[in-house]
Amino acid sequence: MSLRYMTPASKFKRYLPKDYVELVDYGPFGRKYSEVGVKNMGAYKELVEEHPMCSGCWMAYYIKIIFAALPNPEDTVTIGTAGCGRLAISQAAVPFIYGNYGDQNAMASGITRAFRLRFPDRQKDVITIAGDGGMMDIGFSMTMHAWFRRERFTTIMLDNEVYGNTGGQESGMSVEGAVLKMSPKGKNFGKMPAMQLAITAGCVYVVKMSPTNINKAAKAIRRAIFAARNLGPTFIHVYTSCNIEYSIPTPDVFKDAKEMEKGRFAFEEFMTPEAKELFAQIESKTKREVS
Amino acid sequence: MANLGPAHYAPYPVATYDGLLTPPEGKAMLLTDMVDEEVAMREVARVMLTSENATIFPGPQVLYAWSEEAKKKATLIKEMSEVLNAKMIPMYDYRPKYPKIDPEVEINPNHPNLTIWHNEIKACIFIGVHCHYANVALKIVRSETDCYTVGMCALSGHEDAMATIRDQHAEDLARFIEIAKEVKQELGK
């Protein structure tokens, strides 16, 4: 995508759906992050608004943060796979590619390379967004190999610790002993160490968090995208509870996320010295660029 | 249930199975006949002017101001809709829409028949739709509606349209508008 491809021809503007025209007039395309971004959510036309996710879905909330945090939405492509998340991601006003059963990081490798060849003078951001099943179980080999190859794109894992939209099977990211609707005996091995795997495989910036603070969540997303542009693969491992499969009452979803923040999703951030230097440069250039 | 089109529920790529191919350069196709471009333009104008709820479906290649040619075409298509007394419903992107599209304000290549049924469109022009999506949409329309479809294509045309005129650039659209004005006068519309 680019701005030219979303600006309506003047003669046709009145025929386009209202929602689209508002997106062009009041959306974040081509505007400074300080004017839009997560701090101003609700005050501009956001890239994803309506979605078919469950009431109280923490994943849907985090997906809204992802799209509000994009540094360059008009030149961004997202790639996902089977799972709840893609139902909302595909409704965003950013091109979305649906990878079959976990191949999102393999597809992103090709697309990132193709973008660099096709648009050598422009920065295109590629982000894969998938669940714990798509990223660490079914798509595990493709995720790991993309990192080993040092492919320059951002990987975001929406970890709800369960296969949420197929009835509640255990995933590699469920904790040991987790009893789920389709795992009545309880999981008999522990949660996979996704963050350590990412660091070992060569990611230059890795974050694990429970996104209770939108500014902190957005900062991590933007840092991951900036580092992926220049240095190598980046990974965000984020807790996005499934309140249906884990029976969390809707009013308690935020409380649950806060508790996770004190436990196994305590904020951890890894960056290589090069990434650290890059962030220092970017963040000193303009304080609002990453905030 | 609306009337089905000529292909009905055919399980194969319909028009090519019937021996229809896209027209050669300089020619156009009307149903099963290869004709001169001007003959096709006259017939398309006549059908659009005499059919109920004639509609133009502009696609992304003309809806967005991404090149000078696109801007010129946009102006001409607007004029074309006025000459043909046609409504305009955009195909502004190709995503399948969930839970459903609003057929009063858009057409989608994945279920174009919904828009045609809802608005009772009996003749339409696809223009500025990328060929691979035009092919999908035209096949569905051909089988599931009795709408007369016209493919005005900048490349080699579409065999699944009832009428297809190829290599249509800004100057060709201007010529079509002039012909449509003449036909309109002849019909006293």
Side-chain angles (χ1 to χ4, degrees):
Chain A
M1 286 291 269
S2 79
L3 274 178
R4 282 191 308 156
Y5 287 90
M6 59 184 72
T7 308
S10 57
K11 295 283 179 189
F12 283 135
K13 196 170 175 181
R14 63 178 279 251
Y15 298 104
L16 288 169
K18 191 169 173 280
D19 217 30
Y20 185 87
V21 175
E22 283 179 358
L23 195 61
V24 173
D25 288 343
Y26 309 115
F29 301 117
R31 291 169 70 184
K32 283 183 191 163
Y33 186 66
S34 56
E35 295 169 5
V36 287
V38 291
K39 283 182 177 167
N40 297 309
M41 282 170 86
Y44 65 98
K45 178 80 174 168
E46 290 170 41
L47 294 169
V48 57
E49 289 186 335
E50 289 185 30
H51 59 73
M53 309 289 264
C54 305
S55 172
C57 178
W58 197 240
M59 188 183 283
Y61 149 85
Y62 184 70
I63 288 168
K64 280 176 82 89
I65 296 179
I66 296 174
F67 284 101
L70 294 179
N72 197 15
E74 58 273 23
D75 282 304
T76 300
V77 170
T78 58
I79 303 170
T81 189
C84 304
R86 51 96 191 186
L87 296 170
I89 300 162
S90 61
Q91 295 303 305
V94 167
F96 168 75
I97 299 169
Y98 182 77
N100 267 335
Y101 300 109
D103 71 0
Q104 65 282 344
N105 276 34
M107 288 178 66
S109 305
I111 289 166
T112 314
R113 293 181 190 193
F115 277 159
R116 283 203 298 272
L117 289 170
R118 174 68 181 80
F119 303 102
D121 54 337
R122 285 170 60 186
Q123 184 59 56
K124 298 271 183 183
D125 296 324
V126 176
I127 306 168
T128 62
I129 311 168
D132 43 313
M135 205 65 86
M136 279 291 140
D137 291 354
I138 303 164
F140 183 69
S141 64
M142 285 170 273
T143 304
M144 292 299 292
H145 275 270
W147 290 343
F148 282 126
R149 291 194 304 269
R150 306 282 168 99
E151 301 288 353
R152 298 209 301 265
F153 63 84
T154 299
T155 302
I156 299 178
M157 179 164 73
L158 309 169
D159 184 4
N160 58 10
E161 305 187 320
V162 65
Y163 283 85
N165 71 342
T166 50
Q169 296 81 3
E170 66 179 42
S171 82
M173 300 307 292
S174 305
V175 294
E176 188 163 8
V179 175
L180 296 155
K181 287 176 192 162
M182 296 273 185
S183 313
K185 289 166 74 178
K187 193 185 173 200
N188 59 11
F189 67 98
K191 192 174 172 73
M192 292 169 69
M195 186 173 185
Q196 287 73 16
L197 286 167
I199 295 167
T200 306
C203 287
V204 298
Y205 180 71
V206 184
V207 167
K208 182 169 73 171
M209 72 185 306
S210 176
T212 56
N213 180 324
I214 60 168
N215 289 325
K216 200 170 173 182
K219 185 174 179 176
I221 293 162
R222 291 171 67 80
R223 280 186 162 186
I225 293 169
F226 289 135
R229 286 179 181 176
N230 301 296
L231 303 173
T234 57
F235 177 53
I236 297 178
H237 177 191
V238 64
Y239 177 67
T240 55
S241 66
C242 178
N243 58 326
I244 303 298
E245 293 303 332
Y246 276 92
S247 303
I248 306 165
T250 301
D252 295 340
V253 168
F254 184 68
K255 197 172 124 195
D256 168 70
K258 287 292 267 186
E259 279 166 16
M260 281 292 178
E261 202 172 20
K262 293 177 200 151
R264 59 180 175 273
F265 279 91
F267 185 79
E268 284 182 60
E269 189 179 42
F270 163 85
M271 64 185 87
T272 60
E274 294 79 19
K276 194 174 184 179
E277 196 181 319
L278 176 77
F279 300 147
Q281 277 173 17
I282 293 171
E283 289 163 22
S284 67
K285 200 189 293 177
T286 161
K287 284 185 181 174
R288 298 196 72 92
E289 185 68 21
V290 177
S291 61
Chain B
M1 185 68 181
N3 295 327
L4 293 178
H8 297 196
Y9 294 118
Y12 37 75
V14 288
T16 47
Y17 193 87
D18 291 338
L20 298 183
L21 297 171
T22 50
E25 278 182 38
K27 291 281 183 184
M29 192 174 67
L30 278 180
L31 300 174
T32 55
D33 302 327
M34 296 293 171
V35 296
D36 286 338
E37 200 174 85
E38 192 176 327
V39 174
M41 284 181 174
R42 283 191 176 279
E43 177 62 6
V44 166
R46 189 193 65 76
V47 171
M48 288 294 285
L49 283 161
T50 54
S51 300
E52 285 172 48
N53 302 318
T55 304
I56 296 175
F57 299 130
Q61 291 188 103
V62 294
L63 279 173
Y64 303 118
W66 61 281
S67 70
E68 287 309 311
E69 171 83 357
K71 287 182 206 169
K72 259 191 240 169
K73 279 188 172 178
T75 311
L76 288 163
I77 293 165
K78 179 73 174 60
E79 191 185 343
M80 191 195 294
S81 76
E82 284 158 9
V83 173
L84 296 174
N85 305 325
K87 281 201 301 184
M88 195 100 80
I89 298 182
M91 186 183 280
Y92 76 102
D93 74 1
Y94 301 138
R95 292 178 301 162
K97 300 293 167 61
Y98 300 113
K100 66 184 179 72
I101 63 153
D102 180 351
E104 284 185 17
V105 297
E106 69 167 307
I107 182 168
N108 186 277
N110 306 287
H111 26 63
N113 46 332
L114 298 184
T115 298
I116 289 171
W117 285 340
H118 181 89
N119 298 290
E120 296 180 13
I121 296 167
K122 298 296 178 193
C124 66
I125 295 176
F126 280 76
I127 188 162
V129 179
H130 290 86
C131 286
H132 47 298
Y133 280 105
N135 282 340
V136 171
L138 287 165
K139 276 183 186 16
I140 297 171
V141 175
R142 187 182 177 92
S143 62
E144 302 212 352
T145 80
D146 58 356
C147 179
Y148 188 100
T149 50
V150 179
M152 284 199 138
C153 182
L155 297 168
S156 57
H158 298 277
E159 69 275 8
D160 283 301
M162 313 291 164
T164 186
I165 309 177
R166 57 175 292 169
D167 300 315
Q168 293 298 290
H169 304 293
E171 59 276 15
D172 304 288
L173 296 185
R175 194 155 59 88
F176 173 69
I177 290 167
E178 291 310 311
I179 290 172
K181 281 178 185 167
E182 286 171 26
V183 174
K184 192 176 182 179
Q185 208 168 21
E186 286 163 21
L187 292 170
K189 290 275 179 180

